Amino acid sequence: MDRRTFTTLALASVASLALAPGAQAQEFGSPELIAAAKAEGKLVYYTANFAEIEQQVIKAFNKRFPEIKIEMVRAPGGQLITRVKTEAAAGKLIADVVDHSDRALMQPLEELFQDYAPPNAADYDPHALISPKYWPRITLAWSIAYNTELVKDPPKSWMDLTKKQYDKLIGQVFAQSGGTTWTRIMFERQVLGGDYWAKQAATHPVLYPSGAPTADALVRGEIAIAPLLYNVIYQKKKDARRSRSSSRPRARRSIPMRRAFPRPPRIRTLQSCF
């Protein structure tokens, strides 16, 4: 399968979901490109985003292209980077699209990816771009989530997470997981002070390897409070109705997710679609 063709068609599909059917057909690409993408049939998608969220994207894509199978590999940010490095070093990088949240981890791998410009490239804020190989696709916001059955006086700021009243109630993803967690950790260091982590440690938080099991533990009541990306806790709010989040302006940290396409092209047609 040809990566460049898949890239164009896939990204165009996301951008044109709100368009009328006639406009959608034109936005997705030429009839020849769409026919080639359908013939190729499969895309391998690496992502550090939450599986539940990405499944919704894949579902929307497959409404338009039911003939194309998306094989998703989801891993925490640090683990995903390690996998990409290991496969690339062996000459066996199987991903057609890589979606990651930490540009500091992605930038050293720039030579692995191809240049690309989405149809709406001119609309991007130049300050959000670090390379013609990496394109922001979503902006995630950190929030302080809590289980409404266990917490009646929820924290309203990042500093509140250091209060003694929340001792042994908080779940945290450890910094070494990388990705969005690492950027939050750096925010805490730079904005909240060098002693913030020590104050947090005094509340005896439960540690998790990534945000997905942290969110599940929050809904199950194994923990009562957790810093979580809003897109995953919003989904939990819809599903479980037991969790809420505090996201006042001073308690918000935004992280852009970036998508890149490995080279040499293996699935040019399907990449162009996704």
Side-chain angles (χ1 to χ4, degrees), residues 50-69:
F50 294 99
E52 294 164 289
I53 308 304
E54 292 304 319
Q55 289 289 359
Q56 294 182 31
V57 176
I58 293 170
K59 182 179 179 180
F61 177 77
N62 282 143
K63 284 183 178 179
R64 180 62 179 85
F65 298 106
E67 306 90 347
I68 300 172
K69 179 182 178 182

Side-chain angles (χ1 to χ4, degrees), residues 2-231:
D2 189 298
R3 271 196 176 121
R4 188 174 303 279
T5 311
F6 190 96
T7 303
T8 301
L9 185 54
L11 286 177
S13 72
V14 175
S16 60
L17 288 175
L19 299 176
Q24 282 188 4
Q26 185 175 6
E27 286 288 328
F28 280 127
S30 67
E32 293 79 14
L33 182 142
I34 293 174
K38 290 180 178 180
E40 290 162 359
K42 179 183 175 183
L43 169 83
V44 180
Y45 178 41
Y46 284 11
T47 181
N49 199 8
F50 294 99
E52 294 164 289
I53 308 304
E54 292 304 319
Q55 289 289 359
Q56 294 182 31
V57 176
I58 293 170
K59 182 179 179 180
F61 177 77
N62 282 143
K63 284 183 178 179
R64 180 62 179 85
F65 298 106
E67 306 90 347
I68 300 172
K69 179 182 178 182
I70 308 296
E71 182 179 315
M72 181 177 67
V73 176
R74 191 272 165 188
Q79 293 180 26
L80 189 64
I81 289 293
T82 298
R83 177 167 182 155
V84 169
K85 287 181 177 179
T86 301
E87 291 182 357
K92 297 180 179 180
L93 179 57
I94 64 172
D96 302 305
V97 180
V98 177
D99 181 45
H100 205 278
S101 57
D102 192 331
R103 60 184 180 181
L105 289 176
M106 286 286 282
Q107 198 158 18
L109 307 180
E110 190 172 8
E111 71 279 0
L112 297 178
F113 302 101
Q114 58 180 290
D115 288 350
Y116 175 74
N120 62 339
D123 298 329
Y124 277 82
D125 181 348
H127 295 94
L129 302 175
I130 61 169
S131 167
K133 302 174 188 295
Y134 302 137
W135 289 87
R137 57 178 289 255
I138 56 175
T139 298
L140 307 176
W142 280 99
S143 65
I144 300 170
Y146 61 95
N147 187 307
T148 55
E149 293 183 358
L150 302 176
V151 179
K152 303 306 178 184
D153 181 22
K156 298 178 177 61
S157 70
W158 295 108
M159 197 57 70
D160 282 354
L161 294 178
T162 65
K163 289 183 176 179
K164 293 182 179 179
Q165 71 188 80
Y166 303 128
D167 187 51
K168 299 180 181 179
L169 296 179
I170 300 173
Q172 290 272 10
V173 179
F174 55 76
Q176 293 90 334
S177 69
T180 51
T181 300
W182 182 250
T183 57
R184 177 177 60 82
I185 294 295
M186 290 297 98
F187 156 77
E188 293 171 350
R189 174 77 174 184
Q190 295 171 9
V191 177
L192 303 176
D195 61 344
Y196 182 74
W197 299 338
K199 291 178 180 178
Q200 277 194 322
T203 66
H204 306 94
V206 181
L207 299 181
Y208 293 89
S210 70
T214 309
D216 290 338
L218 180 70
V219 172
R220 291 193 300 264
E222 297 169 8
I223 54 176
I225 303 167
L228 286 168
L229 291 169
Y230 190 76
N231 64 338

Side-chain angles (χ1 to χ4, degrees), residues 158 247-253:
W158 295 108
S247 186
R248 300 195 303 174
R250 66 175 181 175
R252 189 178 299 141
R253 180 74 173 94

